[in-house]
Amino acid sequence: MRRIWVTWETQRRSIELSGKVNSELFIFDDQGMMRYPKSILGTLRVFRSKRPDIIFVQNPSMILATLACLYQIVTKVPVVVDRHTTFLLTRKYRNTPKIILFKLLHRFTIKAAALTIVTNGYLSNLVRKMGGRSFVLPDPLPEVKSRFGSSLSGKKNLVLISSFGLDEPIEAVIEAMKIVSDPSIKLYITGNYKKREYLPSIPDNIMLTGFLPDQDFIDLIGAADAVMALTTADYCMLCGCYEAVAFQKPLITSDKKVLREYFKDALFVDNSANGIAQVIRTLFANYDDIQKKTALMKQRLQSEWEIQYQKLEAVLSKL
């Protein structure tokens, strides 16, 4: 059975999953004014030349998902949409023409796709309520390997995996490190901090790394003692959580239902400065025990993921 996977952005989940489902991956990551015309034409060429039995596409992009669903209607080739971050759950939007069009395509792609893959049960229920067919498959733990010899400046090193998105409580983290005020603990915050118009003063126990190339980012996580990944969004699975567990690094993450249900042995926090400071102290006061639990969590998640993946293959065989 010939399978292809198309994405319009370079994203780790698509790279990992496309390999797991034995599909040929095509990435159209053009930028600028001609991005959409070039991506549409390139995608249609792949559809026609490869003549797949199943097409996987990533959403975002909503345009890509719509294009694939229209192609399915014409050719009857089943389309599986791997869908994340496009449910408009975290903010209230005015019904501008752009948002109205988005909502129309949102409903169309859910109903038209042969299958929609999501990361958690809440999103799966949303898909089913809108008339779609859903399947829950979290990210596989990434296969990552850091280079030897990487070292960090603190005695106890913590990394906050960040993109400086609007859903990340960066200011609370900075304030928490002021409260901790332990010179032996060093926090590294990844991501393009210039995306934030305002940041409070940065204490000496924080380093802003800026955007890091993939291998430098992996080396940083590999050299750290623990990882933090935070969000204010209620139904968002965080890539940083998977990366932490893949490295068997103790994980601090936000006390959100979907994160608590999946990463059961993480340390959970309410995103407040005082709460973050307290959980950092708890982490390093009980480090060895927490690290052992993290190693066991990695084994459990890998086993559970493989079981769920086999269920997905059974569903795909019937499409």
Side-chain angles (χ1 to χ4, degrees):
M1 181 179 292
R2 181 182 292 276
R3 299 174 175 182
I4 64 170
W5 188 298
V6 180
T7 174
W8 285 3
E9 65 178 12
T10 303
Q11 211 267 358
R12 175 170 285 174
R13 178 175 166 92
S14 281
I15 294 171
E16 296 281 346
L17 282 183
S18 63
K20 292 288 186 180
V21 300
N22 297 313
S23 60
E24 189 174 358
L25 176 62
F26 298 89
I27 301 175
F28 297 93
D29 203 359
D30 297 297
Q31 301 299 321
M33 293 181 62
M34 294 300 293
R35 176 189 178 190
Y36 286 106
K38 290 171 67 176
S39 297
I40 290 170
L41 290 175
T43 299
L44 289 175
R45 289 193 191 101
V46 167
F47 287 173
R48 293 188 62 186
S49 64
K50 295 298 178 178
R51 298 186 180 278
D53 298 300
I54 296 181
I55 296 171
F56 295 85
V57 295
Q58 179 188 302
N59 185 358
S61 161
M62 184 68 75
I63 302 300
L64 169 59
T66 301
L67 178 67
C69 288
L70 290 172
Y71 187 83
Q72 175 186 264
I73 291 172
V74 173
T75 64
K76 308 304 180 184
V77 176
V79 166
V80 178
V81 178
D82 184 50
R83 190 182 184 108
H84 47 102
T85 73
T86 56
F87 286 86
L88 300 183
L89 297 175
T90 57
R91 287 178 288 169
K92 293 183 178 180
Y93 292 85
R94 296 177 60 191
N95 281 326
T96 62
K98 181 179 179 180
I99 293 299
I100 292 172
L101 176 61
F102 181 94
K103 289 180 177 179
L104 289 173
L105 297 181
H106 170 74
R107 291 182 176 276
F108 167 72
T109 54
I110 282 178
K111 290 182 177 181
L115 185 68
T116 298
I117 299 175
V118 291
T119 59
N120 59 78
Y122 180 83
L123 298 182
S124 177
N125 288 334
L126 287 183
V127 171
R128 289 199 297 269
K129 286 178 180 178
M130 296 177 67
R133 185 181 184 188
S134 63
F135 189 90
V136 176
L137 188 70
D139 289 22
L141 295 183
E143 297 179 4
V144 288
K145 186 176 182 180
S146 61
R147 294 173 290 196
F148 292 105
S150 299
S151 61
L152 302 178
S153 60
K155 292 182 179 179
K156 304 169 185 175
N157 296 288
L158 177 63
V159 173
L160 172 63
I161 298 177
S162 170
S163 64
F164 282 82
L166 295 176
D167 67 315
E168 299 174 26
I170 303 295
E171 292 81 1
V173 173
I174 294 171
E175 185 59 32
M177 289 303 293
K178 294 177 182 178
I179 296 170
V180 169
S181 95
D182 183 341
S184 71
I185 299 176
K186 184 85 171 185
L187 174 66
Y188 295 79
I189 304 179
T190 68
N192 181 10
Y193 54 86
K194 295 180 180 179
K195 289 166 64 175
R196 288 287 176 103
E197 294 183 3
Y198 167 79
L199 281 176
S201 61
I202 307 298
D204 292 339
N205 56 1
I206 291 180
M207 175 180 287
L208 302 178
T209 70
F211 177 80
L212 295 172
D214 282 349
Q215 190 59 55
D216 291 341
F217 173 79
I218 289 171
D219 292 344
L220 176 64
I221 304 302
D225 296 298
V227 170
M228 184 157 51
L230 303 175
T231 181
T232 58
D234 287 324
Y235 303 104
C236 180
M237 299 290 277
L238 299 174
C239 291
C241 293
Y242 298 105
E243 290 158 346
V245 177
F247 271 112
Q248 300 185 43
K249 303 293 181 178
L251 169 65
I252 298 172
T253 192
S254 299
D255 191 6
K256 301 296 183 181
K257 185 174 185 290
V258 295
L259 296 173
R260 183 176 282 279
E261 287 178 346
Y262 196 69
F263 300 99
K264 294 181 174 68
D265 293 302
L267 295 176
F268 298 96
V269 68
D270 62 3
N271 290 334
S272 69
N274 286 328
I276 295 168
Q278 181 58 48
V279 81
I280 290 173
R281 293 191 184 108
T282 299
L283 165 66
F284 288 111
N286 303 276
Y287 183 83
D288 289 343
D289 287 341
I290 295 171
Q291 201 281 324
K292 290 176 183 176
K293 289 181 179 179
T294 305
L296 293 173
M297 177 165 61
K298 178 181 179 179
Q299 295 176 16
R300 174 179 59 80
L301 292 182
Q302 287 176 323
S303 176
E304 290 176 354
W305 193 91
E306 288 298 334
I307 292 170
Q308 189 68 359
Y309 173 69
Q310 292 305 316
K311 293 178 181 179
L312 173 62
E313 281 293 342
V315 173
L316 295 176
S317 68
K318 298 177 182 178
L319 292 183

